[in-house]
Amino acid sequence: MPMSLSRAGTRLRRLMKTRTSITLAGMSLLFSLLALWICVYLAGADPYEALTAMFRGAFQGRWALRTTLSEWVAITLSGLAVLIPYRAGFFNVGGQGQLEMGGVAAAVVIMHLPAPPPLALAAALTACVLAGALTAGIPLLLRLSRGASEVTTTIMMNFAAMRFMYAMITGPLQDPGAWYGTTPIVPAGYRLPLFPPGSGIPVSLFAAVGLALGAWWLLSRTVFGLHLRAVGGNRAAAAAAGIAVDRVLIKAVLMGAALAGLAGGFQYLGHTLRVAEGWSKTWGLVGIPVALLGGSPLGVLLVGFLFAVLETGSRSMQALTGVPAALVFVFQGLPVLIYLALGAGLRRMGDAVDAK
Amino acid sequence: MSKKHPGMRRVLAGLSVLLVMTLVAGCPRPAAQPAPGAEKDPVQAAVIFSIVNPARAGGWDRADWAGILALREEFGWTVTVAEGVPYGQVAATAAGFAEAGYDIVIFPDAGMTDAWHEVSPKYPKTWFVMMSMAERLPDSPRVAAWSPDLYAYGQMLGVAAAKSSRTGTIGLLGGVPVPVIAYLFSGAVEAARFVRPDIRVVTNFVGDWVDVTAHREITALQVREGADVVFALTGPGILGSYEAAKAGGARIIGHAWDLHEDAPDAILTSMILDKPRMYRDLARQFEGGMLEKKTVHVGVEYFKLADFRGAVPQATVDAIDQLVTRLRAGELPIPRVVHSIDDLLKR
Amino acid sequence: MELDWWLDFLLAVLRAATPLLFCALGVLACERAGILNIGVEGSMLAGALAAVLGAVFTGNPWLGVAAAILTGLLAGLVLAGMTVYLPADQIATGIAFNLVSIGVTSFIYRLLVEGGVRLMAPSLNWGQAGGWLEPLTARLAIIPPLTLLALILVIGVQVLLFSTGPGLLWRSVGESARAAHAAGLSVLRVRSLALLGGSVLGALGGAALTLGWVPTFVDNMTMGRGFIGLAAVYFGRWRPDLMFFACLLFGAGEALAFRAQAMGAGLNPYYYLMLPYVLTLAAVAIVGMAMGPRDAGKPFLRG
């Protein structure tokens, strides 16, 4: 066996482990952009014009910028809600439901708690965090006590939560002055401010960036992060090493779900100002590809930004060029598929070179 | 830190590249100016829809689409359509149009009231027009509303449904149980009872606007309860209702626009909300410089029934026509009672 | 409740359960070979669109079913390439595949609709099956063709899995891929065959949803049914016979949600609409600790 080949294999593998994941993510995004380009062309529009429209729709003007940044907050937090439990081996597909329940909980507090603004805001933010965590509690319990796959149960929770949200906004929480299904608008004093005032930057953005940095620190700098990785990697080995596997898993899942709930609260208190039909869009679901592509809290922040631009920009692309906005879904899934394929392919190549 | 973490550095580098891109793209650009000397620029209008594909929709949006075609074809306006815009993003979309120099931004949907109130004061040069129920005008010089009296619309519909039913049971089917539908259905229930005291009205809500299988199941249940005429106020999911009607020998009354061509053998008639006329009013007033800050109360003269195309005997059509004429003239003293959704759902 | 009501209810349950049965079988086929087929939802959506388009363009709904099968094969090839041969993470691949499927199907449908394609396809019933089948089909009229196919497949897979030689090999790949490999079996081939079959079944589920129920397409119309199928496999302890009852139960949840509203208690309909999902979760909670095939979800790397 020639030595150089074996070394090449090891190098390939190390390359993959350390830095390639970022390169791979970038490559898959580029490939997907190419695919998007082709789709736009198929739809009969000028791709360059479409992409320009997309960027303009995402950034031109204070409103657009504010929307893009708010989406960034929601998508980043939803991404973290997938990423942290994923490290411990729990695939939280339920971010959407956790986010919606967070919004509903915050709305209940704002509508029914007779408290001055700072207190009510604090209570609403606490409520949405708790609601998010509680929503993940059921799938978590079923996983621990019944071995039920969380992929199924969290999705069931998504549907149940969406129905529950609709029951609330067309029932007890319905705004008596509105013609459609919605909660009353958040009163002026109770909204999350912009910072600096009048800038178009929601204050929740600073919180989201701070939380992403915190998550990065937690995952890569603490014993808990180490345990998380151990539990996600090999449960039995982790247990044998004396790690309380269940407790680590529970913490990770509740932490993630709380972030999804917080995303709902942030959006309700600072951006949408109502919990209404379709208010939450697909933020929670977008968190999944964002977490898979991002790979780390900082990566989530980065990819989350790109996906937020796509979300807001795609509407303007549709309006100005007629390209169906449904293409966004292709762009959310395709890079992940390419990323996974490239990653697995590279790993295989490394193995093959090794084997020779 | 950076020594130990090449990955971290790359992330930061990537972030900064993206931020630079943001700044470059974010710089406001001058909107494309028409060549000087052009005779008259076409009026630039934008319409924002919350659903996708309004041209094929089963609800209000379909009538708005006809209005857009009128603006384009009869007045030569350039009309841009934004579709599938969630309510939370309507404000940003409308502001984007205003900043791009559009003359008029049209909201076809009462769910966009917040955005209307929020955006219009910030862009006093642009007209913001609500083509749906509006209770008060925003605080801006260039706003107007064409606000249909959907209770009266419901009354006309109730008359038609009650009179064309042979079984004596009619169904009212809503997509999502929202107040505007409860309001409209209330008019239908009261009118149906007024013209036919023995009528039985069964009301149901599917729970969303799009799920065709759910629409089929719940329409089939209404048919099983004896309804041979069902008024469906919903979205793309209405295709499922057509199927159920065909299978059960019932007929659907379309909403807002003549939907006959969508399912010739399932449609009895359609209640038409003449949105093209509302759009034409707007266009004429705008071009004549007469558009002003006001709410136009759109009443019975904008509502009519589509052709029955032989789906019921001529005598029934005549009877309905007669009642509708009296309704228009205000000669039918139908009580104006608004029911809650829960009350409507009770059997 | 009179007999008539029950008959109607039963038929509604069957209608709702048929797409679930196909999906659940598609998941079961794969899990028994050691593959988690999360992408079944995407296969189902693609199958739904293909079935409608096939039926619209040819005018024959049976050819629509054929189109769905072809699309299922295509989906299976992609998924098998990704999760068996590379192999990439099965859950992540499945979820990304589902997202792509939503985008691609909505995009294609939108382009075609703007090109003037009709919205409604002819629905599938025994009438179009042809003349010489007439005496047989007249008797079968009450059970729709795809429901019958689903029932036959459930029995077929049950017998194949538990009473035949190939079934034993199939299960052995899911239980211990390494042992199966040592015994000379091609694990990769069995797994890709299972994934091809599973995706075709998922696509047939889509055809059942459209041609067998409402013959038209709406964006993202499967609405998580593939995942209910996943839950049914779990609830049915990876056995086709028990899985069949699980699907009936979930179908009943769906049928009941609407009937409860029609009873007219005046409660907000959304509480009833939560029923199928709450029922699924409750079922999972009640069923107790269940263990699937031991190697399900684990990639197999050749030698």
Side-chain angles (χ1 to χ4, degrees):
Chain A
M1 193 207 319
M3 201 59 202
S4 61
L5 262 180
S6 159
R7 220 184 306 138
T10 322
R11 224 159 65 206
L12 252 176
R13 198 136 17 106
R14 197 183 300 145
L15 195 77
M16 219 222 67
K17 266 193 189 139
T18 52
R19 42 183 108 137
T20 330
S21 70
I22 292 166
T23 320
L24 281 186
M27 266 168 76
S28 23
L29 286 169
L30 272 181
F31 276 129
S32 310
L33 210 62
L34 196 71
L36 193 72
W37 193 277
I38 294 168
C39 285
V40 168
Y41 181 76
L42 282 179
D46 174 11
Y48 181 74
E49 205 177 291
L51 287 184
T52 319
M54 187 175 254
F55 271 87
R56 271 204 200 170
F59 298 115
Q60 198 169 33
R62 209 153 32 91
W63 291 87
L65 196 64
R66 201 176 105 192
T67 309
T68 307
L69 295 181
S70 295
E71 300 255 329
W72 188 16
V73 172
I75 291 173
T76 299
L77 292 180
S78 302
L80 293 177
V82 179
L83 183 81
I84 298 174
Y86 190 62
R87 282 281 169 89
F90 185 98
F91 206 130
N92 178 22
V93 193
Q96 186 72 18
Q98 290 145 19
L99 188 149
E100 269 165 11
M101 294 305 277
V104 169
V108 170
V109 170
I110 292 294
M111 284 170 70
H112 294 296
L113 187 76
L119 211 63
L121 265 178
L125 288 174
T126 315
C128 66
V129 164
L130 288 178
L134 272 179
T135 310
I138 296 171
L140 184 61
L141 202 67
L142 290 176
R143 156 90 183 256
L144 291 176
S145 70
R146 298 286 184 255
S149 154
E150 70 278 6
V151 175
T152 305
T153 51
T154 48
I155 283 184
M156 294 297 119
M157 285 304 287
N158 278 350
F159 284 105
M162 191 184 84
R163 258 65 176 192
F164 182 75
M165 188 267 287
Y166 267 88
M168 291 297 112
I169 62 172
T170 60
L173 300 183
Q174 166 83 50
D175 175 2
W179 288 110
Y180 65 112
T182 176
T183 62
I185 199 157
V186 181
Y190 292 80
R191 297 174 190 172
L192 285 178
L194 298 173
F195 189 84
S199 62
I201 303 174
V203 76
S204 54
L205 181 61
F206 298 99
V209 171
L211 284 168
L213 287 173
W216 171 79
W217 177 79
L218 186 75
L219 291 185
S220 60
R221 281 282 175 284
T222 63
V223 180
F224 177 72
L226 216 64
H227 286 181
L228 213 59
R229 219 178 266 263
V231 171
N234 187 339
R235 228 181 126 75
I243 299 172
V245 281
D246 282 354
R247 196 179 303 166
V248 170
L249 181 71
I250 291 171
K251 271 190 199 160
V253 173
L254 293 185
M255 211 182 285
L259 289 179
L262 185 65
F266 274 162
Q267 293 309 86
Y268 164 71
L269 293 165
H271 178 51
T272 66
L273 305 180
R274 289 179 189 272
V275 173
E277 280 177 65
W279 75 290
S280 56
K281 299 170 73 179
T282 52
W283 293 318
L285 295 177
V286 176
I288 301 164
V290 166
L292 291 174
L293 281 175
S296 79
L298 298 179
V300 165
L301 202 60
L302 192 75
V303 179
F305 180 73
L306 184 68
F307 276 43
V309 169
L310 279 167
E311 264 295 312
T312 44
S314 62
R315 318 272 162 203
S316 118
M317 176 186 78
Q318 179 279 323
L320 296 175
T321 61
V323 178
L327 265 187
V328 179
F329 284 108
V330 180
F331 197 86
Q332 284 165 2
L334 199 58
V336 183
L337 278 186
I338 298 177
Y339 175 73
L340 291 169
L342 284 177
L346 210 62
R347 195 161 41 227
R348 227 184 130 81
M349 257 163 62
D351 288 346
V353 176
D354 255 4
K356 282 201 182 124
Chain B
M1 180 184 92
S2 53
K3 207 177 198 175
K4 265 193 279 176
H5 286 276
M8 170 90 178
R9 209 169 49 198
R10 262 153 221 267
V11 171
L12 290 177
L15 249 178
S16 43
V17 167
L18 268 181
L19 279 177
V20 170
M21 277 165 72
T22 311
L23 289 176
V24 172
C27 287
R29 275 167 237 187
Q33 290 296 324
E39 288 174 19
K40 187 182 133 204
D41 311 331
V43 176
Q44 276 210 308
V47 187
I48 302 173
F49 289 97
S50 63
I51 60 151
V52 293
N53 208 359
R56 299 279 185 139
W60 276 295
D61 314 273
R62 180 78 157 262
D64 286 281
W65 188 257
I68 290 169
L69 293 183
L71 293 184
R72 279 182 184 159
E73 285 157 17
E74 296 167 28
F75 295 88
W77 287 17
T78 309
V79 186
T80 304
V81 176
E83 56 172 69
V85 182
Y87 288 148
Q89 211 173 304
V90 172
T93 310
F97 284 128
E99 276 177 18
Y102 278 72
D103 303 298
I104 302 180
V105 178
I106 298 172
F107 305 100
D109 181 341
M112 301 174 178
T113 308
D114 283 345
W116 186 39
H117 281 271
E118 199 179 346
V119 176
S120 56
K122 311 248 163 67
Y123 300 95
K125 285 186 193 155
T126 311
W127 279 96
F128 292 90
V129 181
M130 176 60 72
M131 286 290 181
S132 185
M133 292 177 83
E135 262 144 27
R136 61 187 180 86
L137 288 168
D139 188 16
S140 165
R142 292 192 168 157
V143 289
W146 268 256
S147 174
D149 178 1
L150 292 178
Y151 197 89
Y153 177 93
Q155 287 176 331
M156 195 178 291
L157 151 79
V159 168
K163 279 289 166 187
S164 40
S165 169
R166 281 182 308 262
T167 58
T169 301
I170 57 173
L172 298 176
L173 184 73
V176 173
V178 294
V180 62
I181 298 187
Y183 185 68
L184 192 158
F185 280 5
S186 300
V189 170
E190 291 304 321
R193 287 195 188 134
F194 183 83
V195 298
R196 194 166 165 182
D198 64 328
I199 197 80
R200 197 166 150 256
V201 185
V202 291
T203 306
N204 285 101
F205 290 94
V206 182
D208 74 22
W209 311 103
V210 294
D211 186 348
V212 282
T213 54
H215 276 78
R216 168 160 185 171
E217 290 301 309
I218 213 146
T219 311
L221 282 176
Q222 292 197 325
V223 174
R224 273 186 61 77
E225 281 191 74
D228 62 339
V229 175
V230 174
F231 173 69
L233 199 175
T234 179
I238 198 172
L239 295 169
S241 297
Y242 295 152
E243 284 297 297
K246 273 189 263 180
R251 293 282 193 147
I252 304 285
I253 298 184
H255 164 58
W257 200 241
D258 190 352
L259 303 180
H260 174 78
E261 59 173 37
D262 288 8
D265 39 1
I267 296 274
L268 177 82
T269 178
S270 300
M271 247 329 276
I272 294 178
L273 168 57
D274 200 348
K275 277 207 163 175
R277 183 165 160 193
M278 291 152 64
Y279 279 75
R280 281 189 201 103
D281 289 350
L282 164 70
R284 263 186 229 111
Q285 292 181 14
F286 182 82
E287 296 202 334
M290 294 172 320
L291 189 56
E292 54 187 34
K293 179 174 179 175
K294 63 165 187 281
T295 301
V296 179
H297 293 281
V298 171
V300 281
E301 66 276 17
Y302 286 74
F303 312 146
K304 66 177 181 225
L305 284 160
D307 198 342
F308 280 80
R309 297 183 177 87
V312 291
Q314 190 54 41
T316 312
V317 177
D318 292 341
I320 293 172
D321 281 346
Q322 214 176 8
L323 281 168
V324 166
T325 312
R326 288 178 61 200
L327 183 74
R328 286 185 197 282
E331 289 167 17
L332 295 186
I334 302 171
R336 208 174 170 100
V337 185
V338 179
H339 301 279
S340 72
I341 285 165
D342 291 357
D343 287 343
L344 286 168
L345 282 168
K346 288 210 176 88
R347 291 289 188 266
Chain C
M1 302 290 170
E2 66 274 40
L3 187 68
D4 191 34
W5 189 92
W6 283 104
L7 184 66
D8 183 64
F9 178 65
L10 194 68
L11 285 176
V13 172
L14 272 183
R15 264 199 304 273
T18 305
L20 299 182
L21 272 176
F22 280 113
C23 284
L25 268 181
V27 172
L28 188 134
C30 292
E31 292 212 3
R32 279 292 182 185
I35 294 278
L36 296 178
N37 187 6
I38 307 286
V40 72
E41 174 92 8
S43 311
M44 187 186 191
L45 193 58
L49 178 66
V52 169
L53 292 183
V56 164
F57 281 122
T58 62
N60 183 344
W62 294 90
L63 290 177
V65 175
I69 292 176
L70 281 179
T71 310
L73 279 176
L74 198 69
L77 278 177
V78 172
L79 287 172
M82 292 279 303
T83 60
V84 177
Y85 283 98
L86 277 173
D89 183 80
Q90 297 172 9
I91 295 181
T93 303
I95 292 201
F97 180 78
N98 293 341
L99 274 173
V100 173
S101 182
I102 295 178
V104 170
T105 50
S106 313
F107 182 67
I108 292 177
Y109 187 64
R110 186 60 199 276
L111 288 189
L112 289 173
V113 163
E114 265 170 15
V117 169
R118 262 183 313 132
L119 297 164
M120 297 301 273
S123 43
L124 191 72
N125 52 51
W126 292 112
Q128 304 118 340
W132 60 275
L133 280 168
E134 188 89 33
L136 187 68
T137 55
R139 275 160 222 267
L140 286 169
I142 193 156
I143 300 180
L146 285 173
T147 305
L148 189 71
L149 178 64
L151 297 179
I152 292 172
L153 281 171
V154 167
I155 298 170
V157 172
Q158 171 81 17
V159 171
L160 182 67
L161 260 181
F162 294 104
S163 315
T164 67
L168 189 66
L169 298 180
W170 184 359
R171 282 186 291 145
S172 72
V173 172
E175 286 299 330
S176 172
R178 205 143 285 282
H181 178 71
L185 212 63
S186 169
V187 172
L188 299 188
R189 196 171 304 156
V190 171
R191 287 191 167 179
S192 7
L193 275 178
L195 207 39
L196 282 179
S199 301
V200 167
L201 284 167
L204 278 173
L209 185 67
T210 50
L211 298 181
W213 202 349
V214 182
T216 187
F217 184 83
V218 182
D219 291 0
N220 193 17
M221 72 180 297
T222 47
M223 301 185 73
R225 284 188 173 86
F227 290 99
I228 299 188
L230 267 161
V233 171
Y234 174 85
F235 190 44
R237 296 180 172 246
W238 292 267
R239 293 170 53 105
D241 46 356
L242 297 180
M243 181 207 82
F244 169 72
F245 290 107
C247 287
L248 281 190
L249 182 71
F250 299 149
E254 207 174 327
L256 212 58
F258 301 129
R259 277 162 179 75
Q261 191 194 134
M263 303 268 184
L267 193 67
N268 189 308
Y270 285 107
Y271 294 117
Y272 302 125
L273 291 171
M274 286 168 72
L275 199 65
Y277 309 106
V278 174
L279 204 63
T280 309
L281 286 169
V284 170
I286 292 165
V287 71
M289 193 59 128
M291 287 294 286
R294 221 173 312 142
D295 268 9
K298 291 183 196 152
F300 179 73
L301 295 162
R302 211 169 356 193

